[in-house]
Amino acid sequence: MKLYEYEGKKLFSRVGIPIPKGILTEDKVDWSGKAVVKAQLLEGGRGKRGLVKVTDNPNEAIQEMKKLGISKFLVEEFIPHTREAYISIILNRDLGEPIFTLSKEGGINVEEAKDTKQFVVPLERGPKQYDIIPMEKYLNVNNLSSIINGLYKIFTDYDAELVEINPLAITEDGKVYALDSKVILEDNALYKHQDLLKELNREYSSDNYVELDGDIGIIGNGAGLTMATMDLVKLAGGNPADFMDVGGGANREKVKECVIKVGSNPRVKKIIMNIFGGITRCDEVALGIIDAYEIIKKPIFVRLVGTNEEEGWKLLESKGIKYYEDPLVAIGDALRS
Amino acid sequence: MNKDTKVLVQGITGKEGSFHTQRMLEYGTKIVAGVTPGKGGESIYGVPVYDTVNDAIKEHDIDASIIFVPARFAVDAIYESADAGIKLIVVITEHIPVLDLARSLKYAKEKGSRIIGPNCPGLIVPEESLLGIMPARAFRKGKIGIVSRSGTLTYEIAEILKDYGQSTVIGIGGDPIIGTKMQDVIKMFDEDENTDEIVLVGEIGGTMEEEVAKMKLEGKINKKIVAYIAGLTAPKEKRMGHAGAVVYMGMGTYESKVNAFKKANIAVAKTPFEIKDLL
């Protein structure tokens, strides 16, 4: 679950990472002097879209952005600085250890940065002074302790997937401030952090649905098979409208919910469903499809094989829903229809 | 793993545990015991149930364990099996928090246990033993080794290759942190006399596929590999289902994987159906 900038900064200030003074607002602010007005959206690239404004009149900037449909703003003091840098922490997949990535350039896409350096900090011990010294030398600043310890604390205490400061401002007198925050919490661990969710007034939403810009609804079980189905549809000349993975061992309710979600997208003209049951049982899938079909009433091309397939086929047949064993035939029929 | 491998099922009385215990028994897997705390003394499909892994190993020889325990308790199940000295632990459970997992995998490794998974379909030696949730219909005895990051896609591809048959099929799981990497399995297939050719099923995210390509390029793998990567049409920085399939920091894109394979002379199939033609 991605946090808003202001939510990430709430965590930053809790663990002692220095941030500019700021106010979250939906309308007017009482402000004097130079300010930075930042639209609070979950998408990146705000700067390029004119949604971060340095101004002496924050209320005017707010009114302008409101016209673009934005409803939440963070107004912050402007921090004059001489340099910008980048710091993030993620779990390195190969090592199974947290890894800090530092760059001398801030505000960039880190994959395009020329000068980056990575520092591994084993989970057993967390960051020590002798980890931080080489990081400070690399960025040529003196006081990274609060930043590094704070990032590590958020990463481990809240089960984050990514905690990123970009840019990190370095002022003329050598102070550091996190000007922006990017925090992604791990969905699988959110159950441990109910207090935080309540405090932020956020609800968990699953990532098993990704909307795309085509017109053919795609549903599969398992991320790999669902992606492969999208790829097959695309290679056959169709345009996927989404990625929807019903997940492992989906039951009737879950399948129904997924088919309705995909089918309710007005752009979706037909649905291709590709199920190979292992832990998922085809009879449960069939029941879910039947329930949803009566509600969405869009053509659905179901490829259904695997665990309890015969029970599943019988159920679909009894409702006159055609099923396939071969996914290519199902996709072919769907694209021709 | 073979037909004589003696298996313990952790979480044997749960919905998934009991269902798949029955399936595995039907397949011929030697399941000798199960564990569910609080259900010790019961039995299910003739398999005795114990409260702890330690109770089970006092009564039975156990070579491998398979975990169906829900995500919140699965990490403890890994520690328990590792502490009991079980050499092969297959973790079917999905949605285990990754930091907890990273710690437990390291611990298990230090104890000398090999972990497959988590969030994986397990492994199968067709017509001998099934340690997982794979549907039997897709598999036949043969000489192709399949290693895969994706569960259901593995079934699909095994079925497409049914005429060839398979020596061993291993689903390593799609999470960012896993117990056994693709490189390890490929190495084992390369040394396995029952395997003639290797099929690698990857997806976007991570760099395991690129590592395999590097091994092939350096001449460390002798057998032929045919690869397929899911996620050609996946948008970048969007998470496609489970946590592994996301491109972070430009690493592990579809293009980077396919290019690495091409450089190493590994044939890449555009669709699962093309694998057949490339073998």
Side-chain angles (χ1 to χ4, degrees), chain A residues 18-29:
Chain A
I19 53 170
K21 285 191 197 85
I23 300 172
L24 182 73
T25 179
E26 293 184 7
D27 197 26
K28 283 202 173 70
V29 284

Side-chain angles (χ1 to χ4, degrees), chain A residues 72-85:
Chain A
K72 263 192 194 133
F73 307 88
L74 184 60
V75 181
E76 286 185 334
E77 63 174 327
F78 178 77
I79 306 273
H81 54 278
T82 49
R83 283 190 289 141
E84 291 187 345

